[in-house]
Amino acid sequence: MTRLVFFCGHAGTGKTSLAKRLIGPLARATGKPFCLLDKDTLYGRSSAATLAALGQDPHDRDSPLFLHHLRDPEYQGLLDTARENLALGVSVLAVGPLSREVRERRLLDRDWLGVSQDVALAAVWVRAAEETAHQRIVARAHPGDAWKLSHWDEYRQRRFEPEGAQLDDLIVFDTTAPAQGDYDALLHRLAQAT
């Protein structure tokens, strides 16, 4: 059985760091190979080049142009690449904000994802205290975060936190100050996903 595990949440919550921390232990726990697919690594450069070619700020992933024309193709490409790996018997840790997909409860919808019943699914919503996320974004000094930092009050109001039915089957993990036992519990839960 292959696994498709999503690590989603807002900037600075530690999605990629968490996925990188768990990929080796998860492969050992399941006895299966895993790959890491980070949306920003896969599509960040091409989206920046596209935005620049269109006369836009190449790092503004919050612009209407990006949100209406580039966001969804990036996510579809992420899913296409995940399905190719799954077909080869390689499990996938997929990293991206995916807030709209969480809001619409799509990440565990096999039909929408285009994956069969023999793929185990899990979605981890990674959160951190706002101050912690802000400090991490400042510290990493990534050009793609410039808009968020210069418009923090506007950005923070758009941050979405799942609630109610959106939390059904969603694993929530807080990276503000986790203990080793928290990582171990998450690893166990992901290794047991069906």
Side-chain angles (χ1 to χ4, degrees):
M1 172 180 286
T2 54
R3 288 172 167 74
L4 173 55
V5 181
F6 293 99
F7 288 84
C8 40
H10 298 294
T13 56
K15 302 177 297 293
T16 303
S17 296
L18 181 59
K20 287 179 178 179
R21 180 182 183 128
L22 293 178
I23 192 167
L26 194 52
R28 288 187 292 278
T30 62
K32 301 286 185 182
F34 276 80
C35 71
L36 175 70
L37 301 178
D38 186 312
K39 182 186 78 69
D40 289 339
T41 303
L42 290 170
Y43 300 106
R45 290 180 188 268
S46 60
S47 288
T50 300
L51 289 168
L54 295 171
Q56 303 292 309
D57 178 344
H59 303 295
D60 186 356
R61 300 300 192 278
D62 295 281
S63 69
L65 188 144
F66 177 83
L67 293 174
H68 293 143
H69 299 287
L70 298 174
R71 180 201 184 276
D72 288 347
E74 282 190 2
Y75 283 118
Q76 288 305 315
L78 178 70
L79 292 175
D80 291 343
T81 307
R83 282 190 297 269
E84 285 186 350
N85 278 277
L86 293 167
L88 294 170
V90 178
S91 292
V92 175
L93 302 185
V95 180
L98 293 153
S99 56
R100 184 186 308 165
E101 291 72 16
V102 169
R103 186 181 292 116
E104 296 172 358
R105 300 178 64 196
R106 291 184 168 182
L107 293 185
L108 300 174
D109 180 340
R110 291 180 185 283
D111 291 334
W112 185 81
L113 293 170
V115 298
S116 64
Q117 292 294 327
D118 63 346
V119 175
L121 296 175
V124 181
W125 179 260
V126 184
R127 66 168 49 142
E130 182 182 328
E131 182 177 325
T132 300
H134 186 267
Q135 290 170 351
R136 290 173 181 167
I137 293 170
V138 169
R140 71 186 180 194
H142 190 280
D145 294 324
W147 185 92
K148 291 176 184 68
L149 291 173
S150 63
H151 299 86
W152 188 258
D153 286 337
E154 181 182 345
Y155 170 70
R156 68 185 292 273
Q157 292 175 23
R158 294 190 347 217
R159 286 170 48 109
F160 155 80
E161 280 298 320
E163 59 185 16
Q166 295 163 338
L167 290 166
D168 290 351
D169 301 318
L170 191 66
I171 302 167
V172 178
F173 191 85
D174 193 312
T175 63
T176 305
Q180 182 59 47
D182 299 321
Y183 291 112
D184 294 342
L186 178 58
L187 174 63
H188 178 75
R189 188 163 177 190
L190 294 178
Q192 300 302 314
T194 58

